[in-house]
Amino acid sequence: MAQRLDIAYRVVAGVNDTVVVNYNSLGAKTCTMAPGLYMSSAALSDALEVAIDEQWSASASFEVGANTDGTITIDS
């Protein structure tokens, strides 16, 4: 018998929806993700990339990706 465990990530406005990103000594900017239930780390990383791009697209290009171990990598 196979068992399965699914993990979802809930982003709540005003609770866990912000990440502070400091790029290349240009200062720190608060990036706010859209609240919601993200059913995979890939979906969460996509929302994080959108939030970062909203703040930093004029200065840099960021790529955010989900790794197989559940961590997220941010590259600029």
Side-chain angles (χ1 to χ4, degrees):
M1 172 169 73
Q3 295 182 350
R4 178 177 160 167
L5 175 65
D6 292 319
I7 298 175
Y9 307 88
R10 182 170 303 279
V11 174
V12 179
V15 177
N16 64 345
D17 63 338
T18 60
V19 175
V20 177
V21 177
N22 187 348
Y23 173 72
N24 203 23
S25 348
L26 294 176
K29 293 186 181 185
T30 301
C31 305
T32 304
M33 292 184 288
L37 182 63
Y38 297 94
M39 297 304 292
S40 68
S41 57
L44 181 67
S45 69
D46 290 344
L48 181 56
E49 184 170 341
V50 168
I52 292 172
D53 284 344
E54 286 175 352
Q55 293 296 318
W56 285 104
S57 63
S59 302
S61 174
F62 287 86
E63 291 187 21
V64 182
N67 301 312
T68 58
D69 64 358
T71 60
I72 292 178
T73 302
I74 302 172
D75 290 320
S76 64

